[in-house]
Amino acid sequence: MKKKNLWIFVLAAMMCFSFALFMVGCADDTLPPLESLTITNEDVLTEEWYVGDEDRTVEVAYSPNSYTQENTDAVVTSSNTSVVSVSGMTLHAVAPGTAAITVSVGEVSDTVSVTVSPTLEGVSITNKDALTAEWILGTADRTVEVAYSPDSFTEQDTPFTVESSDEEVIEADGSTLKAVGVGTATITVSAGGKQDSVSITTSVTAPVLTIEGFEDESDVFELVANENAELPNVSAHSCDGIDLSEYVDISVSDTDKMAVSRLGRLNVSEKGTYAITFTVADPRDDSKTASQTIDVQAYRKVFGLSTAFTEEIEFAADEEQTAKLISDGIAYAEYNVTPSKIYYAEAI
């Protein structure tokens, strides 16, 4: 009887063990066949992606949904690892180009095409020599020329901006520069977080001085001693067309005998040869000046007082000066001459 019970116990134990093995086998076989898998974040993976940007992760959904990332061994591969490398489900942008990223489980797979764009390494001003050449106010505008690195970048896909550190010296309008004042300004080009700069100096040249009626160096300003004479009209302009006439300075060769009034009249106390100089400086750079000197010839004043005579030839040497009688009656005159056999001087 005891032996029979022992066999019953052994048989029951074997049956329990077999059932446990059956249940484990059934558990492994509870997943139905995988029908499909889908890369669910294609929109993220196909966004603009530059070399050096953050890594991206592939996200997958399975059908039927009893398959999960945890219980499914998915394999991610890249068609071009020199462009996009793979580590598990993570993608890394290596270099510019395009790679097909494939997720597969056995024979089931899905693929997405990923493009990596180059990173802008730098932007440079290519015509610095031309921009920093002598630039005179009033001359032509200048244009900033720009290059990108790598050269796959263009102004169309990566616009640049140009800024001036001093708009009162150089104005920037797009890529065009205009000199508007004397000084130095830093021009900065910016694109995609990269910059390049150049320092540009503007200047003026000597003004243009014009004395009306005295364009020739041989021209002489003539007047009679002790009589006020209107000075010629004088004008001055800067190289960029600004009127500088108010800055014209007048100096004389003999301050004891020559005087210029505030009304622009010259008086010379004695006959003789003198000179008068007109000078103008650009107030923005007073080292830039223009100057012109004209000869002055002062002649003897023939009459001190006369009601009957008038000078006929006045601007001439003493012996060449002549006067004529303009009265039919008795003529009186005060001559500024010495006595002669032909006439005599008489004080009135």
Side-chain angles (χ1 to χ4, degrees):
M1 185 67 179
K2 291 181 178 179
K3 188 175 182 179
K4 184 177 180 180
N5 289 338
L6 178 62
W7 280 106
I8 293 173
F9 176 77
V10 171
L11 181 61
M14 291 178 64
M15 290 178 65
C16 289
F17 180 73
S18 297
F19 179 76
L21 289 177
F22 173 78
M23 291 302 294
V24 170
C26 288
D28 288 343
D29 296 335
T30 53
L31 290 175
L34 179 64
E35 297 175 4
S36 65
L37 65 84
T38 304
I39 299 173
T40 58
N41 63 333
E42 283 192 9
D43 56 340
V44 174
L45 298 179
T46 56
E47 288 178 352
E48 278 194 339
W49 198 18
Y50 295 93
V51 176
D53 280 356
E54 292 184 359
D55 294 346
R56 295 181 176 181
T57 301
V58 180
E59 298 176 1
V60 181
Y62 302 94
S63 179
N65 58 14
S66 52
Y67 286 84
T68 65
Q69 193 68 44
E70 290 73 24
N71 65 12
T72 306
D73 294 328
V75 177
V76 181
T77 59
S78 169
S79 65
N80 191 344
T81 55
S82 64
V83 173
V84 179
S85 63
V86 178
S87 177
M89 303 295 285
T90 302
L91 308 181
H92 177 70
V94 179
T98 300
I101 303 302
T102 301
V103 180
S104 58
V105 176
E107 299 298 322
V108 181
S109 65
D110 191 15
T111 300
V112 61
S113 181
V114 175
T115 297
V116 178
S117 300
T119 300
L120 180 64
E121 298 174 2
V123 59
S124 60
I125 300 171
T126 59
N127 62 331
K128 288 184 179 181
D129 287 345
L131 294 177
T132 55
E134 184 183 37
W135 197 3
I136 304 300
L137 295 189
T139 57
D141 295 347
R142 296 183 177 182
T143 302
V144 179
E145 298 176 2
V146 176
Y148 297 89
S149 177
D151 57 13
S152 56
F153 286 85
T154 65
E155 183 182 351
Q156 286 67 41
D157 57 46
T158 310
F160 64 84
T161 60
V162 180
E163 294 182 352
S164 170
S165 64
D166 192 341
E167 289 280 341
E168 293 185 358
V169 174
I170 299 176
E171 292 179 349
D173 182 11
S175 60
T176 301
L177 305 180
K178 182 179 182 64
V180 295
V182 174
T184 299
T186 299
I187 303 302
T188 301
V189 172
S190 304
K194 307 297 181 181
Q195 291 184 336
D196 192 19
S197 299
V198 61
S199 181
I200 302 176
T201 299
T202 60
S203 59
V204 292
T205 57
V208 177
L209 184 66
T210 303
I211 303 176
E212 187 177 323
F214 291 84
E215 290 76 18
D216 195 300
E217 292 183 0
S218 62
D219 293 330
V220 177
F221 184 78
E222 298 177 312
L223 76 164
V224 173
N226 287 311
E227 285 191 355
N228 291 326
E230 293 284 345
L231 288 174
N233 291 325
V234 180
S235 61
H237 291 83
S238 66
C239 58
D240 52 340
I242 298 175
D243 187 358
L244 302 179
S245 301
E246 63 177 300
Y247 298 103
V248 175
D249 180 67
I250 302 173
S251 59
V252 296
S253 59
D254 190 337
T255 56
D256 292 331
K257 299 177 182 178
M258 303 174 71
V260 178
S261 72
R262 291 192 301 175
L263 297 176
R265 294 172 180 170
L266 175 64
N267 187 283
V268 180
S269 62
E270 293 183 14
K271 69 177 182 178
T273 301
Y274 305 89
I276 186 167
T277 301
F278 300 88
T279 304
V280 63
D282 193 314
R284 296 167 295 183
D285 182 354
D286 56 14
S287 69
K288 300 298 191 302
T289 64
S291 181
Q292 184 175 341
T293 299
I294 59 176
D295 292 329
V296 175
Q297 184 63 54
Y299 297 98
R300 175 186 60 179
K301 181 174 176 60
V302 177
F303 296 108
L305 177 65
S306 173
T307 58
F309 293 90
T310 185
E311 295 86 349
E312 190 173 35
I313 299 178
E314 188 174 29
F315 293 159
D318 290 354
E319 64 274 13
E320 296 176 358
Q321 289 180 318
T322 61
K324 65 179 180 180
L325 183 66
I326 57 173
S327 174
D328 294 333
I330 298 174
Y332 297 91
E334 181 185 88
Y335 283 84
N336 294 322
V337 296
T338 56
S340 166
K341 293 180 180 180
I342 302 175
Y343 58 82
Y344 68 93
E346 180 179 351
I348 299 177

